Amino acid sequence: MTRGEALACKPVKNLDIEETWTDHNKIILSYPLRLKPIFSDVAKKYGLWKEGRPPMKRLELDDMGTMVWGMIDGKNSVRKISAAFAEKYTVLPREAEVATASFLKDLGKRGLIAFSMK
């Protein structure tokens, strides 16, 4: 995938993610912990699953993460999100692209978002 193609991708939120706003206008994301099958069986055996749901992880976003998360709607491209990031935080466009792409990649690895090529 070229840089241009990557910047044209549109991140989409995982609908299983729970968003909670803090008193300081930041977001806490709660999401199911992904376990390998063998660990999943152990977790179930020892009652770590509540009401048939896997254990949950929490991720508190800082101001920058909250801003980026708020723009993820399946319509905004990585390019558009990074441009808004550059403008809001007064950084160079390339720095914003790198920071935004790195953050989105991390969210993708955690299973919090996916990317649409449309």
Side-chain angles (χ1 to χ4, degrees), residues 34-87:
R34 294 190 301 186
L35 299 172
K36 293 184 179 181
I38 191 166
F39 296 121
S40 178
D41 293 340
V42 171
K44 287 178 185 176
K45 181 177 180 180
Y46 290 100
L48 298 176
W49 286 50
K50 306 274 192 258
E51 301 170 7
R53 292 183 57 181
M56 299 293 281
K57 285 193 78 167
R58 293 168 41 111
L59 175 65
E60 183 171 348
L61 303 180
D62 61 11
D63 291 332
M64 294 176 190
T66 296
M67 179 258 170
V68 171
W69 182 261
M71 290 191 70
I72 298 173
D73 61 2
K75 297 175 185 169
N76 291 320
S77 67
V78 174
R79 178 178 284 112
K80 185 173 182 178
I81 294 169
S82 66
F85 184 95
E87 186 175 325

Side-chain angles (χ1 to χ4, degrees), residues 6-117:
L7 290 172
C9 289
K10 297 175 181 175
V12 180
K13 293 178 183 176
N14 179 335
L15 299 178
D16 293 332
I17 308 305
E18 297 173 18
E19 299 177 21
T20 308
W21 284 88
T22 69
D23 295 337
H24 304 292
N25 286 330
K26 294 181 183 164
I27 295 176
I28 297 174
L29 304 175
S30 300
Y31 58 99
L33 180 62
R34 294 190 301 186
L35 299 172
K36 293 184 179 181
I38 191 166
F39 296 121
S40 178
D41 293 340
V42 171
K44 287 178 185 176
K45 181 177 180 180
Y46 290 100
L48 298 176
W49 286 50
K50 306 274 192 258
E51 301 170 7
R53 292 183 57 181
M56 299 293 281
K57 285 193 78 167
R58 293 168 41 111
L59 175 65
E60 183 171 348
L61 303 180
D62 61 11
D63 291 332
M64 294 176 190
T66 296
M67 179 258 170
V68 171
W69 182 261
M71 290 191 70
I72 298 173
D73 61 2
K75 297 175 185 169
N76 291 320
S77 67
V78 174
R79 178 178 284 112
K80 185 173 182 178
I81 294 169
S82 66
F85 184 95
E87 186 175 325
K88 180 169 183 169
Y89 294 103
T90 320
V91 296
L92 296 172
R94 182 74 176 131
E95 290 177 297
E97 286 175 7
V98 170
T100 303
S102 176
F103 178 65
L104 293 173
K105 183 178 178 182
D106 183 54
L107 293 178
K109 284 183 180 178
R110 293 172 187 253
L112 304 179
I113 62 169
F115 293 91
S116 170
M117 302 289 277

